[in-house]
Amino acid sequence: MAELIVALDVSSTAEVVRAVDRLGDTVSFYKIGLELFSAEGPDVVRAVKGRGKKVFLDLKLHDIPRTVERAVKAGAALGVDLMTLHAAGGKAMVFAAKDAALACGAGAPKLLAVTMLTSLDASDLADLGVTRNMTAQVEALGRLACMNGADGIVCSPKEVARMRTVLGPGALLVTPGVRPAGAAVGDQKRVATPAQAVWDGSTHLVVGRPILEAADPCAAARAIAEEMTLASAVTP
Ligand code: C5P
């Protein structure tokens, strides 16, 4: 059963606490990103974990293996459930991160690789000296990460079906860019409905504004969760 993760794209712990308390039992998993973590530090993670929720800490780690290993251990000590790292950090970095997670035992964070940022295009690839096209590069980085210990990847709804085939049935596929039918798309360019993302093989859907900016955030989250449950029960 795919899980809904609400992106806490707010700027203070006070706003986080308001949002999490307002959503109550409807949502059990939250994403904390670089901006919020840089502003508020580990206390914001503690605030969410302290409310009995799961945390996806999206810091996109990319550094030498020892530094990433220690960052994963720090995340594990906070009780973080999911963490991101750049596949471009290479085999040794991903392997060191996995080693650190394994050393933390059963509750250790699962590791998600970021392949190519969706803000990059073909001309950026050329600037970076990458001669493969974007699709091949995403597949190669996803494979590299998962063969060296990553539990899955972050990918757009348009990549999910293909990456499920490439990475096999066990990989976590975490998908932002999800919009309920009829919802404002905003700055997201490659969107899918919650049902389509589930059908294509997403294990976790990350949704921010369609929930946090809704007139009734609880109702918006419940509607998405129900659509996910229904989609899991039927085939398109
Ligand atoms: O508000 P919205 O539902 O668009 O939020 C999606 C979340 O997923 C945001 O936190 C955004 O930074 C993140 N994200 C994304 N696209 C990516 C990677 C992450 O929208 N390629």
Side-chain angles (χ1 to χ4, degrees):
M1 214 355 242
E3 285 187 271
L4 172 64
I5 302 178
V6 172
L8 287 168
D9 293 325
V10 296
S11 47
S12 70
T13 304
E15 287 172 272
V16 163
V17 166
R18 258 199 307 279
V20 173
D21 287 348
R22 188 163 183 201
L23 288 165
D25 291 339
T26 312
V27 175
S28 57
F29 215 146
Y30 289 93
K31 178 170 90 72
I32 292 172
L34 191 54
E35 182 189 351
L36 181 58
F37 191 79
S38 301
E40 299 286 280
D43 279 350
V44 70
V45 176
R46 293 189 188 103
V48 179
K49 289 299 297 183
R51 283 167 168 74
K53 306 300 181 186
K54 292 198 257 186
V55 169
F56 168 17
L57 187 57
D58 185 20
L59 302 182
K60 300 184 178 67
L61 305 174
H62 190 170
D63 211 314
I64 60 170
R66 179 182 151 86
T67 302
V68 169
E69 176 189 327
R70 291 162 79 92
V72 169
K73 284 194 174 145
L78 284 169
V80 163
D81 300 278
L82 273 181
M83 289 180 87
T84 42
L85 73 182
H86 273 282
K91 284 182 198 175
M93 188 201 80
V94 178
F95 191 81
K98 182 60 171 185
D99 219 30
L102 287 175
C104 296
K110 301 271 189 215
L111 302 174
L112 297 174
V114 173
T115 57
M116 294 302 291
L117 295 170
T118 47
S119 50
L120 300 177
D121 63 15
S123 76
D124 294 301
L125 276 188
D127 291 345
L128 292 168
V130 176
T131 50
R132 285 189 283 239
N133 67 32
M134 186 64 81
T135 302
Q137 181 70 355
V138 167
E139 289 186 10
L141 287 175
R143 261 196 223 100
L144 175 145
C146 290
M147 283 170 60
N148 287 281
D151 298 286
I153 63 165
V154 179
C155 61
S156 91
K158 303 298 178 196
E159 294 166 338
V160 174
R162 185 169 42 82
M163 293 312 288
R164 172 60 66 214
T165 309
V166 170
L167 298 178
L172 302 181
L173 297 180
V174 178
T175 315
V178 174
R179 290 291 179 269
V185 167
D187 54 1
Q188 293 285 9
K189 293 195 167 45
R190 310 179 75 204
V191 299
T193 61
Q196 193 60 54
V198 169
W199 285 327
D200 285 345
S202 290
T203 56
H204 298 77
L205 274 49
V206 179
V207 184
R209 290 161 292 180
I211 292 174
L212 293 186
E213 293 179 5
D216 183 344
C218 249
R222 211 174 296 120
I224 292 173
E226 279 165 12
E227 184 175 332
M228 291 166 65
T229 307
L230 271 175
S232 305
V234 296
T235 40

